[in-house]
Amino acid sequence: MIIFGTRGYLYQLAILTLVCGGCGNPAAHTLRKRVTKFTLFFVPLFPISTRYATQCTFCGTEQKLTKEQAEQLQAQSTGVPGGRPHGQPQQPHQHPGA
C-alpha cells in the first residue's frame, strides 16, 4: 500500500498598506505565498505549485499576483532592492490522496 497526497503551506511574506481594488479603502494587505507539495507517506517531497496573492484586511478581497509582482512588493516593504522571499508558515493545509 502506497500513501500519497498533497499538503499546502501558507507563508506570510509582508504586510503592506495599499488601496484596495475591491472596496477602495487604503488598508493593510497581507502578501502571501501558498506552496503545494507532493507527499509520500506524509513526507513532503517537492513543490508542485506556488501561488502569490494579497488580501485586504478590511474587506477580505484577494488579488492574485505573479512571482515578479510579489517580489517587487516585498522589496518595497523591506526597502531592500531585490528582496528575497522569506516567511514563516502560517497554517498548513492537507489534501490526502489515495
Side-chain angles (χ1 to χ4, degrees):
M1 181 164 79
I2 297 175
I3 300 172
F4 67 93
T6 60
R7 184 172 184 158
Y9 297 90
L10 186 62
Y11 299 93
Q12 182 171 315
L13 302 176
I15 297 178
L16 311 160
T17 302
L18 303 170
V19 175
C20 180
C23 64
N25 290 316
H29 286 67
T30 56
L31 176 60
R32 296 180 177 169
K33 173 181 170 181
R34 182 181 304 266
V35 180
T36 304
K37 293 186 178 185
F38 176 80
T39 61
L40 184 61
F41 294 104
F42 305 105
V43 177
L45 297 177
F46 55 87
I48 55 175
S49 75
T50 302
R51 295 186 178 141
Y52 296 89
T54 58
Q55 185 175 18
C56 177
T57 58
F58 188 79
C59 68
T61 300
E62 187 169 296
Q63 181 178 358
K64 295 179 182 178
L65 303 173
T66 64
K67 181 180 179 180
E68 292 77 21
Q69 290 172 326
E71 288 175 350
Q72 187 177 36
L73 283 173
Q74 187 178 7
Q76 289 175 359
S77 73
T78 59
V80 178
R84 303 193 53 176
H86 66 282
Q88 297 298 320
Q90 193 173 27
Q91 52 181 268
H93 299 282
Q94 190 169 0
H95 305 285

